[in-house]
Amino acid sequence: QLVDSTTGGDYSYLQSLGGLQTKIKLPNLKDYNLTNKRAINKAQLIIQADNSEVTKYAAHKTISVFTANGSNQITDKFRILPMAYDSVKSQYIADITVYAQQALTGKYDDLGLILKANGALVNAYRTRLFGNSPIDKRMKLKLYFTEY
């Protein structure tokens, strides 16, 4: 089952053993090129995990980011390295620079990213990720760019 981050929920989930995946869309990314041309130097997707249930369900040690196609299936269009869980900050950080630059310039249709648990067949972890609220914990996209 695929949980879509664009529906506005407070949480999205990742679950092992054939469980849940999460889809993230960046619908306004192309808008950054409307007034000035920009080249992305670095793009980081920062995903905050809700660690209030860590004693009950351990957070995944790593999760992977994949590109999605129009049918919400995983593609291998871009290789994005797995994100390690930072237990101190309760977050995952992914470098999505190539993906963001291609989506920004229109060379790749931004059909979304899929988050999937690593080791999903050998552990029973579950990770609850903050969605659209609270505002200080929602998913963030940090862009470092050069205007030309």
Side-chain angles (χ1 to χ4, degrees), residues 15-26:
Q15 189 174 16
S16 297
L17 303 171
L20 299 171
Q21 300 174 22
T22 294
K23 181 175 182 183
I24 298 172
K25 289 186 177 180
L26 307 171

Side-chain angles (χ1 to χ4, degrees), residues 5-71:
S5 68
T6 61
T7 58
D10 292 339
Y11 299 101
S12 58
Y13 297 87
L14 296 175
Q15 189 174 16
S16 297
L17 303 171
L20 299 171
Q21 300 174 22
T22 294
K23 181 175 182 183
I24 298 172
K25 289 186 177 180
L26 307 171
N28 300 323
L29 190 58
K30 287 183 186 178
D31 295 347
Y32 282 92
N33 254 0
L34 292 179
T35 55
N36 297 320
K37 294 293 183 186
R38 296 184 171 125
I40 295 178
N41 302 325
K42 184 177 186 179
Q44 290 181 315
L45 180 63
I46 302 168
I47 302 169
Q48 192 75 31
D50 178 6
N51 63 359
S52 64
E53 296 184 345
V54 163
T55 56
K56 194 173 185 181
Y57 301 102
H60 291 92
K61 292 180 173 120
T62 59
I63 57 178
S64 289
V65 182
F66 299 94
T67 53
N69 64 18
S71 302

Side-chain angles (χ1 to χ4, degrees), residues 81-125:
L81 297 175
M83 298 183 279
Y85 180 62
D86 181 339
S87 59
V88 175
K89 295 181 180 178
S90 299
Q91 68 183 13
Y92 300 90
I93 298 178
D95 181 349
I96 61 167
T97 304
V98 174
Y99 172 82
Q101 182 64 41
Q102 297 291 322
L104 180 74
T105 59
K107 292 181 182 174
Y108 178 71
D109 290 331
D110 181 16
L111 298 174
L113 298 169
I114 295 176
L115 304 179
K116 186 173 180 172
N118 288 354
L121 298 177
V122 294
N123 64 52
Y125 298 159

Side-chain angles (χ1 to χ4, degrees), residues 118-148:
N118 288 354
L121 298 177
V122 294
N123 64 52
Y125 298 159
R126 183 185 91 174
T127 304
R128 183 161 74 171
L129 307 170
F130 284 104
N132 289 328
S133 66
I135 200 161
D136 63 323
K137 299 200 183 270
R138 65 171 39 167
M139 295 181 194
K140 297 172 183 69
L141 177 63
K142 275 190 177 179
L143 295 176
Y144 303 85
F145 56 85
T146 303
E147 290 188 354
Y148 59 95

